[in-house]
């Protein structure tokens, strides 16, 4: 059998040689990976590495590194198809969606910001696979397969890909005490972790029960969806589609798993439980843009955000912050930021928490990771810091230096260094 118009396609039996340097492109990959999922621990190439020196301008930045990865050949579209004597030749087969794979990184089902792109690029580079590095879903891919059949028989017509999943960590700049007792700024493994899902470009083909195919191929996964050995496979059928009980069962299992995952995400961030009290440190701070008069000022109105303002007689303590319920782990502070002026805690609004450049505001203090922040510090003697939201993992910064400019979250931080602030005692 041979596909119709093969020049622009990649056959399922071809092994595609891919290069890590081409990790941001897509092409069909060979069915040469194991048919069962393989889990590996991966160290991906990145622009920085743990232990390398960083600078104060890096305090408000982060970079991903890939901790684990799993590659699983997956059939995304399938249709049982019967070819009779006299009906061989070209067929256009409309397949049914078998499994839907959507690209995601952390909370974000829509790839926004440079952190997610860098993370997925690191996955491709580490595994030697060309993976999708922007948002896409296999359900949006055309499910029609054009194929030329040269022998009659019972076929599984399919599209498939390699589903790539795993976990990532975050490299952040923070002070580290060295063996001689001195301090230095270095990239460390930060507190933020998450999971990712992506996939390689789809390949398509057709396979029969009697075909000898590699056990470690997407083609073998498709062959496993045929009712080989059953009355369906042995019976004579009119030319055209034939239902497969195995494929139907596998599709229902995939749909149930997807629904369970969606339900879990929908309930992952319930409304925060209000705190009875906060254990706040006595020190009061302003959070300044280094060397300049503007600093973080909390909003008076509930629908406004934290903005850069210059302190004056009318500031009404909206520019005064305390660190509350403080913990420290591996040299990184975790705290809630309580505002003296309006009595609220700094937070990312829950309804936009998954968006790049979501603004920072204040709300009633509660037991909520959206109100918790990691603080990365410069060496002792310097008050410079970087701030990261615990729930979203994004760093805080501002788009431009201007009175009234909102403080926002940026997945990788501000690469021009504007995510570095001064935590100055009042």
């Amino acid at each position: 059998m041979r596909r119709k118009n093969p020049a622009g396609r990649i056959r399922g039996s071809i092994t595609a040689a891919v290069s890590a340097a081409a990790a941001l492109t897509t092409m069909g990959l060979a069915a040469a990976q194991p048919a069962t999922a393989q889990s590996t621990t991966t160290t991906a190439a990145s622009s920085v590495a743990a232990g390398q020196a960083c600078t104060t301008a890096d305090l408000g930045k982060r970079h991903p590194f890939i901790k684990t990865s799993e590659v699983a050949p997956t059939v995304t579209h399938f249709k049982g198809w019967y070819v009779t004597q006299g009906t061989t030749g070209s067929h256009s087969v409309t397949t049914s969606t078998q499994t839907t794979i959507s690209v995601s990184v952390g909370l974000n089902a829509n790839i926004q910001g440079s952190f997610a792109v860098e993370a997925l690029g690191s996955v491709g580079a580490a595994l030697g696979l060309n993976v999708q590095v922007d948002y896409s879903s296999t359900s949006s891919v055309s499910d029609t397969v054009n194929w030329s059949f040269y022998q009659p028989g019972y076929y599984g017509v399919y599209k498939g890909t390699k589903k790539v999943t795993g976990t990532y960590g975050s490299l952040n700049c923070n002070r580290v005490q060295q063996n001689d007792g001195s301090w230095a700024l270095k990239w460390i493994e930060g507190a933020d972790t998450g999971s990712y899902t992506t996939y390689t470009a789809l390949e398509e083909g057709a396979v029969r029960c009697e075909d000898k195919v590699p056990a470690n191929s997407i083609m073998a996964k498709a062959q496993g969806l045929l009712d080989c050995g059953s009355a369906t496979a042995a019976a004579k059928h009119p030319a055209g589609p034939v239902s497969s009980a195995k494929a139907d069962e596998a599709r229902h299992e995939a749909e149930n798993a997807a629904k369970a995952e969606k339900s879990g995400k929908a309930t992952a961030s319930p409304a925060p439980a209000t705190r009875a009290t906060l254990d706040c440190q006595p020190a009061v701070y302003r959070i300044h843009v280094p060397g300049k008069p503007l600093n973080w000022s909390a909003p008076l109105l509930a629908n406004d955000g934290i903005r850069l303002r210059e302190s004056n007689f009318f500031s009404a303590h909206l520019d005064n912050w305390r660190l509350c319920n403080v913990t420290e782990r591996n040299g990184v502070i975790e705290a809630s930021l309580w505002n003296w002026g309006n009595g609220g805690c700094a937070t990312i609004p829950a309804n936009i928490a998954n968006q790049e450049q979501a603004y920072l505001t204040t709300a009633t203090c509660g037991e909520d990771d959206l109100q918790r922040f990691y603080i990365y510090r410069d060496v002792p003697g310097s008050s410079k810091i970087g701030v990261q939201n615990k729930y979203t993992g994004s760093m805080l910064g501002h788009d431009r230096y201007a009175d009234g400019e909102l403080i926002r979250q940026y997945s990788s931080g501000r690469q021009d260094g504007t995510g570095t602030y001064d935590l100055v005692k009042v």
Side-chain angles (χ1 to χ4, degrees), residues 1 41 47 99 179 283 406:
M1 57 188 170
T41 299
S47 57
T99 303
N179 292 334
L406 283 166

Side-chain angles (χ1 to χ4, degrees), residues 46-55 171-174 185-188:
S46 179
S47 57
V48 299
Q52 287 184 347
C54 54
T55 69
L171 292 177
N172 293 77
C173 183
N174 194 57
L185 282 177
K186 293 186 177 182
W187 291 103
I188 64 165

Side-chain angles (χ1 to χ4, degrees), residues 59 77 100 127 131 154 158 165 204 223 236 262 276 284 298 341 350 357 360:
L59 288 170
H77 302 79
T100 298
L127 297 177
V131 300
Y154 175 44
Y158 68 91
T165 57
E204 61 186 45
Q223 191 180 55
K236 299 297 182 181
K262 185 176 181 180
V284 179
Q357 298 190 35
L360 188 66

Side-chain angles (χ1 to χ4, degrees), residues 314-348:
F314 302 101
S315 296
H317 296 301
L318 292 171
D319 54 355
N320 289 172
W321 301 88
R322 279 180 172 165
L323 305 184
C324 304
N325 293 1
V326 178
T327 62
E328 184 173 342
R329 182 170 176 266
N330 296 331
V332 179
I333 286 178
E334 179 186 328
S336 297
L337 302 177
W338 178 81
N339 186 262
W340 188 356
N342 68 15
C345 285
T347 188
I348 302 293

Side-chain angles (χ1 to χ4, degrees), residues 28-389:
L29 291 172
Q33 298 289 335
T36 55
Q38 286 194 332
S39 180
T40 60
T41 299
T42 308
T43 301
S46 179
S47 57
V48 299
Q52 287 184 347
C54 54
T55 69
T56 55
D58 295 319
L59 288 170
K61 304 175 187 177
R62 70 167 178 158
H63 293 277
F65 70 95
I66 304 307
K67 302 178 75 171
T68 63
S69 58
E70 184 176 286
V71 181
T74 304
V75 174
T76 59
H77 302 79
F78 183 86
K79 178 67 71 176
W81 197 261
Y82 199 79
V83 177
T84 61
Q85 191 68 41
T87 65
T88 56
S90 298
H91 290 256
S92 183
V93 181
T94 300
T95 59
S96 299
T97 299
Q98 190 73 23
T99 303
T100 298
I101 304 171
S102 296
V103 179
S104 64
V105 176
L107 304 174
N108 209 340
N110 292 315
I111 302 305
Q112 299 181 11
S114 57
F115 183 86
V117 173
E118 186 180 354
L120 294 176
S122 297
V123 171
L127 297 177
L129 297 176
N130 288 350
V131 300
Q132 307 293 325
V133 295
D134 54 8
Y135 177 73
S136 57
S137 170
T138 58
S139 65
S140 63
V141 177
S142 171
D143 60 4
T144 299
V145 175
N146 296 314
W147 202 260
S148 291
F149 300 88
Y150 289 132
Q151 299 179 36
Y154 175 44
Y155 289 86
V157 182
Y158 68 91
K159 285 189 175 184
T161 185
K162 292 179 177 64
K163 181 179 181 180
V164 185
T165 57
T167 59
Y168 64 83
S170 175
L171 292 177
N172 293 77
C173 183
N174 194 57
R175 70 185 188 187
V176 175
Q177 191 166 26
Q178 303 182 103
N179 292 334
D180 61 1
S182 64
W183 294 82
L185 282 177
K186 293 186 177 182
W187 291 103
I188 64 165
E189 182 175 343
D192 179 52
T193 60
S195 60
Y196 64 86
T197 299
T198 185
Y199 61 94
T200 62
L202 269 71
E203 63 177 61
E204 61 186 45
V207 62
R208 300 178 301 169
C209 292
E210 59 268 34
D211 289 338
K212 301 298 182 182
V213 299
N216 58 355
S217 65
I218 295 174
M219 187 180 292
K221 298 285 286 186
Q223 191 180 55
L225 298 178
L226 288 169
D227 291 322
C228 297
S230 69
T232 301
K236 299 297 182 181
H237 302 274
V242 181
S243 63
S244 168
K246 286 185 178 180
D248 290 343
E249 181 180 1
R251 183 174 66 254
H252 292 321
E253 289 177 355
E255 289 172 349
N256 290 336
K259 288 178 182 177
E261 181 180 4
K262 185 176 181 180
S263 175
K265 288 181 177 179
T267 59
S269 182
T274 302
R275 295 182 192 271
T277 58
L278 284 172
D279 180 15
C280 295
Q281 296 181 347
V284 179
Y285 298 93
R286 290 196 182 110
I287 305 174
H288 274 276
V289 176
K292 298 183 178 181
L294 299 182
N295 57 80
W296 290 20
S297 182
L300 278 173
L301 303 176
N303 60 350
D304 197 6
I306 296 171
R307 298 178 181 270
L308 291 179
R309 299 289 190 192
E310 186 171 357
S311 296
N312 55 43
F313 179 79
F314 302 101
S315 296
H317 296 301
L318 292 171
D319 54 355
N320 289 172
W321 301 88
R322 279 180 172 165
L323 305 184
C324 304
N325 293 1
V326 178
T327 62
E328 184 173 342
R329 182 170 176 266
N330 296 331
V332 179
I333 286 178
E334 179 186 328
S336 297
L337 302 177
W338 178 81
N339 186 262
W340 188 356
N342 68 15
C345 285
T347 188
I348 302 293
N351 62 320
I352 58 172
N354 66 338
Q355 295 180 16
E356 182 77 356
Q357 298 190 35
Y359 65 90
L360 188 66
T361 187
T362 55
T364 301
C365 297
E367 296 288 345
D368 188 350
D369 283 346
L370 283 168
Q371 296 183 7
R372 299 289 287 172
F373 297 88
Y374 300 121
I375 298 176
Y376 300 92
R377 295 172 288 175
D378 200 355
V379 298
S382 169
S383 57
K384 291 182 172 58
I385 61 168
V387 185
Q388 179 182 31
N389 185 264

